[in-house]
Amino acid sequence: MNYWTDLSIQYANQKSYLDDLFQVYPTIPEGIRELDENIWNEIEIFFEQKNDLELINRLLKLDLFPIKDSYIAFLKRDASSIKRNPKTISRICGRLYEMGLGKIFEKCSEPKETNRQIGPFFKRWLNNKSLGLQPVKLNGFISDTKDAILDASDKEMMDFAKENLGYNRDKGLDFIARFNQKYVIGEAKFLTDFGGHQNAQFADAMSTIEAEGVNAVKIAILDGVLYIKGNNKMYKDITEKYKNHNIMSALVLREFLYQL
């Protein structure tokens, strides 16, 4: 098994992994969503009037619809379908009237899901000089040959890697650095659970780390449930299928970079 993967597994199973990881991913829930006051006033009016069409129209203008229903996305993307499908609208509104305005407001103003907030945290952690260097913008990165961490958007990193390092994926990167004259590229992800979207995130990171023809050290900076020992697919993949790749926690990244 890769040394850095093994070190990450040991860290996750023997040390205060979650306590330390909070420095990288401080997933503090946001406050409630603010609703547009004018739209909400209209929602109250059309709710009291039992005006199904106008009620649906106003609720679809909010960031979060108050109920989960497989047909909502279609209605949101094709406004003309609202008038053409009265039975669907009646069914959805029936559920809304049962909920009551108080519950509708509560659902519409729920905070964003935590796992949708964590994306920027890794780069904020880098910008706090957590790896011993202050990340630099692209001009500063390319004008020198010293050890450096690139501070740029995912797309800017992708473009740089394509033009200079032979990277050929149409997928942004989270991390580019240069240590001991070696370039390092990678993706950073916090995998909070197994299944669904999280499996897709894992697979995406593996696609980057397996990209061929790249003139750089490829790494996957992964944290979360994949380091839990057991029969879960992620753990088996990093210890068997991808055992020769540089898969590691952000918490051992600094040690990895300085030994290059």
Side-chain angles (χ1 to χ4, degrees):
M1 189 196 315
N2 178 279
Y3 172 79
W4 302 101
T5 304
D6 187 39
L7 191 63
S8 299
I9 292 170
Q10 291 180 44
Y11 199 132
N13 287 275
Q14 297 175 16
K15 297 184 180 181
S16 53
Y17 176 62
L18 297 181
D19 289 354
D20 297 343
L21 192 61
F22 195 76
Q23 301 300 314
V24 187
Y25 297 108
T27 54
I28 303 169
E30 293 183 353
I32 65 171
R33 297 172 194 252
E34 289 191 13
L35 304 185
D36 184 291
E37 188 174 339
N38 292 329
I39 294 176
W40 181 252
N41 287 339
E42 292 177 337
I43 288 170
E44 290 182 325
I45 293 170
F46 294 128
F47 183 92
E48 296 299 334
Q49 293 177 351
K50 297 292 191 292
N51 188 327
D52 293 359
L53 292 180
E54 296 300 339
L55 177 62
I56 289 288
N57 269 311
R58 296 313 185 279
L59 285 169
L60 289 174
K61 290 182 178 181
L62 300 178
D63 290 338
L64 187 62
F65 199 82
I67 59 176
K68 293 188 181 298
D69 190 288
S70 301
Y71 293 81
I72 297 301
F74 192 104
L75 296 171
K76 199 162 193 172
R77 287 166 174 74
D78 181 6
S80 67
S81 66
I82 296 173
K83 289 185 178 180
R84 292 186 279 107
N85 296 277
K87 292 181 180 178
T88 296
I89 300 305
S90 179
R91 174 180 62 78
I92 293 171
C93 284
R95 292 177 62 188
L96 293 170
Y97 297 136
E98 288 177 7
M99 288 173 67
L101 276 172
K103 193 66 176 178
I104 290 173
F105 182 90
E106 179 185 323
K107 290 292 184 181
C108 290
S109 58
E110 282 182 350
K112 294 179 181 178
E113 293 177 34
T114 300
N115 63 0
R116 293 185 180 180
Q117 300 177 45
I118 62 178
F121 283 129
F122 176 74
K123 289 187 177 179
R124 291 182 197 172
W125 178 72
L126 292 179
N127 283 322
N128 287 332
K129 295 180 66 175
S130 300
L131 299 180
L133 294 174
Q134 181 65 51
V136 296
K137 296 297 184 181
L138 186 57
N139 287 341
F141 188 78
I142 63 179
S143 65
D144 209 328
T145 58
K146 295 186 300 185
D147 291 355
I149 299 165
L150 178 57
D151 177 13
S153 69
D154 294 1
K155 184 180 184 305
E156 287 172 329
M157 290 190 186
M158 177 185 72
D159 292 342
F160 174 85
K162 281 187 172 184
E163 293 169 12
N164 299 277
L165 304 175
Y167 180 71
N168 57 13
R169 294 193 71 210
D170 287 321
K171 174 69 175 65
L173 294 166
D174 299 310
F175 185 75
I176 293 182
R178 181 179 54 244
F179 278 78
N180 194 25
Q181 306 300 311
K182 297 176 182 176
Y183 285 99
V184 183
I185 70 167
E187 292 192 49
K189 299 183 186 298
F190 181 17
L191 303 168
T192 58
D193 204 350
F194 302 114
H197 176 66
Q198 300 295 298
N199 284 349
Q201 291 282 84
F202 177 80
D204 189 42
M206 293 305 98
S207 294
T208 294
I209 210 171
E210 289 199 302
E212 296 182 355
V214 180
N215 300 316
V217 178
K218 297 169 294 182
I219 64 175
I221 309 160
L222 304 181
D223 279 289
V225 296
L226 77 163
Y227 298 128
I228 298 173
K229 294 181 178 179
N231 291 322
N232 70 78
K233 186 177 185 301
M234 287 185 193
Y235 181 80
K236 291 174 72 174
D237 279 350
I238 65 173
T239 56
E240 297 174 15
K241 184 176 180 180
Y242 303 109
K243 64 181 180 180
N244 296 320
H245 291 289
N246 292 314
I247 299 169
M248 69 196 73
S249 165
L251 299 174
V252 304
L253 177 58
R254 179 171 180 162
E255 188 178 346
F256 169 81
L257 292 171
Y258 283 97
Q259 59 81 46
L260 285 173

